Amino acid sequence: MAYSSAPEVGIRPTFEEISSSASGIGWTHVAGLSSEMYLPETIGPGCAFFDYENDGWMDIYLVNSGPCDFYKPSTPLRNALYRNNRDGTFTDVTQTAGVLGNAYGMGVAVGDYDGDSFPDLYVTQYPRSILYHNNGQGGFTDVTEKAGVAAPGWATSAVWFDYDNDGRLDLFVCRFADFDKAKNVFCGNRDTGLHYYCKPDVYRPLPCWLFHNNGDGTFTDVSKASGIASSLGKAWGVVAADINNDGWMDLFVANDTVPNFLFANRGKGKFEEIGVLAGVAYNSFGAARSGMGVDAADYDQDGWLDLFVSNLNREMYSLYRNNRNETFDDVAIPTGLAQLTKVLSGWGLKFFDFDNDGNLDLILCNGHPDPMVSRREADSKYAEPMLLLRYDNGRWKDVSAVGGSAFSRDIAGRGLALGDFDNDGRVDVLVTVNNGAPILLRNNAERSNHWLGVRLVCRRANPDAVGARVTYQAGDLKRQRVKVGGGSFLSSHDPRLVLGTGNRPKIDWLEVRWPPPGDKIERFAELPIDRYITIVEGRGTWT
């Protein structure tokens, strides 16, 4: 399919927006926007695609605000869990499932922390987060106190990953600045009455949390012992990825108005913060930017994971190409990405192959954090359009024009999650809007392109196979995909990998390199096409 700056007559939009009446998703985010302009009001919310019943169909979780010291809702607010009815519609099961939330919600991280094959939910909140254990019968139990992962303060994004290679999922939680109602700062002009949401530089930075999974339903706070707590930040987004191919999962953290972190995992439970040395902490002039959403992927297929971070308008987004020596070069300008994003403020984002041609593309949702920005900056606005970008011959090209109506209007985009909710092999998108209804996008990309969906299940390594590397060959096409932990902003994604082959109707072979401690390579041939399969570590076959 040829892309151009304007949609061709008769071309079906790549993404079809599904109305609430068609999907059954009637929930709306309520931010509680107030005249005091407390900063959390304009940050959330996040969302997730996950299969809470293990029936093979992606369900949806949406995070709402709630009661806290600066906000007392006039009517009760709640998060929302929507069960997939397998026919394109969803049913609200929040009440019976018991996952309503209990504070001012931010984001969600999904992971099977106890290895019982059912995904659990960690919901980040202000002033305390919450861990919901999946009971396997359609319900969840709040186990926060027993587990010891309340993370008091303002938590934002979180990620499940196995940092010590013991086969259990540990938990990293981003913490934002030192904030509560009593510490709220007035930003604006008292003489004219102009009041706006503050830039985070007026608040004191704080360390993030790292919780070690003890294997008995409890966690130990190892933030100090691991070295994580030595770095003070204002963290929004996080992705867990092995950036140096040494078999240990590292962490890239986007900070707002302070340097980004790159926590290199040195083994034995220790991390070294190398953001400055790696070239990912500052811009080219040595200034910290307003990092928000992040992701990691091998977009150029050289075998090394690259990093992406979205920033505030006028700062440009960053694409850090891996130099294979724990340093990175920001290639946003030479690849065309800087020009495409210079007037935008980015939040949720993800690398994915939207048309199954075998090449990674990029989707981003945007929106300025301050609803009053247009009164202060003539060329800026609060609501902004989403972007759909295609990587072609070393440059990123804006193909939003064929993306559909959702890409042609302005929104206050925040969280973004990927998931194939109708199991047709074309990855769909869920976007959350601050103080608005979520946007569900069905992917209608070309059916002529083939694909294989792969669910990886570990037995020795962490249950979610975070860190697994899949290599596959289809005729003249050879590609690698790495299963990173987290990514985007406040959101969690369908755990399955969809491997596109373009017009090639057969996958010749597929290799899975499992994460440590298994760390074995299994090779598979005679694979099906255009369907989902499950590969279990060590069994040597697929189902």
Side-chain angles (χ1 to χ4, degrees):
M1 181 175 182
Y3 292 95
S4 62
S5 59
E8 300 175 36
V9 176
I11 293 294
R12 187 183 189 189
T14 302
F15 290 93
E16 174 190 359
E17 187 170 351
I18 309 301
S19 67
S20 59
S21 59
S23 68
I25 300 175
W27 176 95
T28 297
H29 178 252
V30 178
L33 301 176
S34 71
S35 59
E36 296 301 316
M37 296 190 176
Y38 300 104
L39 191 55
E41 296 170 355
T42 190
I43 300 306
C47 57
F49 277 114
F50 78 123
D51 181 9
Y52 83 97
E53 294 178 304
N54 277 350
D55 64 355
W57 295 78
M58 288 296 117
D59 310 296
I60 284 175
Y61 191 72
L62 298 157
V63 180
N64 212 341
S65 63
C68 63
D69 59 354
F70 66 81
Y71 181 48
K72 300 294 187 284
S74 57
T75 58
L77 298 176
R78 61 175 177 83
N79 301 342
L81 174 60
Y82 282 95
R83 185 182 63 216
N84 192 326
N85 297 326
R86 312 184 192 185
D87 60 2
T89 68
F90 295 81
T91 297
D92 188 340
V93 295
T94 316
Q95 197 74 41
T96 55
V99 287
L100 286 75
N102 59 14
Y104 199 94
M106 285 280 123
V108 55
V110 178
D112 179 13
Y113 74 87
D114 59 349
D116 65 356
S117 300
F118 287 93
D120 309 296
L121 290 175
Y122 186 74
V123 181
T124 58
Q125 305 181 139
Y126 167 85
R128 292 171 67 85
S129 298
I130 185 167
L131 176 60
Y132 288 116
H133 175 258
N134 189 331
N135 300 326
Q137 298 178 341
F140 293 76
T141 300
D142 179 352
V143 296
T144 313
E145 294 306 316
K146 174 189 174 183
V149 291
W154 181 1
T156 55
S157 295
V159 62
W160 295 98
F161 77 120
D162 181 9
Y163 79 89
D164 55 353
N165 289 343
D166 65 356
R168 297 189 292 265
L169 286 174
D170 309 298
L171 179 65
F172 179 89
V173 183
C174 290
R175 184 174 188 176
F176 200 64
D178 185 13
F179 171 88
D180 60 34
K181 180 179 180 179
K183 296 173 182 174
N184 192 51
V185 176
F186 176 90
C187 291
N189 187 320
R190 294 187 186 276
D191 293 333
T192 64
L194 179 63
H195 190 185
Y196 50 82
Y197 287 95
C198 295
K199 288 190 64 175
D201 54 7
V202 301
Y203 295 105
R204 183 168 63 94
L206 291 173
C208 298
W209 295 275
L210 178 63
F211 297 101
H212 174 259
N213 189 335
N214 299 323
D216 59 0
T218 69
F219 293 76
T220 299
D221 185 346
V222 294
S223 308
K224 290 184 179 179
S226 65
I228 293 294
S230 298
S231 299
L232 304 182
K234 300 174 185 179
W236 286 141
V238 60
V239 62
D242 182 4
I243 59 99
N244 50 13
N245 288 345
D246 66 352
W248 298 93
M249 295 296 287
D250 312 297
L251 292 163
F252 181 50
V253 179
N255 282 313
D256 197 341
T257 68
V258 296
N260 297 326
F261 298 148
L262 182 56
F263 291 112
N265 191 337
R266 300 310 188 194
K268 299 182 180 181
K270 300 294 185 179
F271 287 84
E272 179 187 3
E273 204 290 290
I274 62 169
V276 174
L277 295 175
V280 299
Y282 300 101
N283 67 9
S284 58
F285 300 103
R289 289 186 271 192
S290 303
M292 294 181 283
V294 296
D295 200 19
D298 183 10
Y299 79 94
D300 55 359
Q301 288 293 297
D302 65 353
W304 297 75
L305 290 175
D306 310 295
L307 302 173
F308 184 93
V309 58
S310 60
N311 298 301
L312 200 66
N313 66 322
R314 301 181 181 181
E315 294 181 344
M316 299 182 296
Y317 302 174
S318 299
L319 176 62
Y320 294 111
R321 186 169 58 203
N322 196 325
N323 293 326
R324 313 181 189 187
N325 60 0
E326 293 192 354
T327 70
F328 295 77
D329 288 330
D330 188 350
V331 295
I333 292 177
T335 61
L337 187 64
Q339 180 68 21
L340 295 171
T341 63
K342 66 179 182 178
V343 299
L344 298 174
S345 300
W347 302 87
L349 55 94
K350 207 80 174 80
F351 287 101
F352 77 130
D353 180 6
F354 78 86
D355 55 0
N356 286 335
D357 67 352
N359 300 314
L360 286 176
D361 310 297
L362 185 58
I363 188 169
L364 311 99
C365 71
N366 307 289
H368 199 280
D370 183 12
M372 304 293 290
V373 66
S374 61
R375 295 182 59 181
R376 295 183 292 112
E377 301 173 9
D379 58 346
S380 300
K381 56 185 179 179
Y382 175 61
E384 298 174 344
M386 295 174 57
L387 281 181
L388 183 64
L389 305 181
R390 182 184 181 93
Y391 189 64
D392 185 17
N393 292 322
R395 291 186 63 83
W396 293 94
K397 297 182 179 180
D398 185 356
V399 296
S400 307
V402 298
S405 60
F407 294 85
S408 62
R409 75 176 193 274
D410 295 337
I411 62 170
R414 295 295 185 266
L416 182 149
L418 300 181
D420 182 8
F421 75 84
D422 53 2
N423 280 346
D424 67 353
R426 292 170 292 180
V427 179
D428 310 301
V429 180
L430 178 65
V431 176
T432 53
V433 176
N434 184 259
N435 206 44
I439 299 170
L440 180 62
L441 300 176
R442 176 185 287 128
N443 189 337
N444 293 322
E446 286 190 74
R447 296 181 183 272
S448 60
N449 283 348
H450 297 285
W451 57 278
L452 176 65
V454 180
R455 178 183 176 229
L456 299 175
V457 179
C458 286
R459 291 298 178 228
R460 293 192 61 199
N462 68 88
D464 293 353
V466 177
R469 183 181 294 264
V470 175
T471 306
Y472 66 103
Q473 180 95 39
D476 61 339
L477 179 76
K478 184 178 180 181
R479 291 290 183 265
Q480 293 187 68
R481 295 283 299 278
V482 178
K483 190 172 180 184
V484 302
S488 190
F489 174 74
L490 305 180
S491 300
S492 198
H493 315 277
D494 187 336
R496 303 171 296 181
L497 297 175
V498 177
L499 312 175
T501 67
N503 59 8
R504 305 162 187 85
K506 179 185 178 182
I507 290 181
D508 303 309
W509 55 265
L510 178 150
E511 283 186 352
V512 180
R513 179 163 192 151
W514 299 98
D519 203 24
K520 301 295 184 182
I521 296 176
E522 292 187 86
R523 189 179 178 102
F524 305 89
E526 302 300 324
L527 293 159
I529 200 74
D530 298 335
R531 58 162 284 195
Y532 280 97
I533 64 172
T534 297
I535 299 177
V536 179
E537 180 186 17
R539 291 188 179 174
T541 187
W542 53 268
T543 57

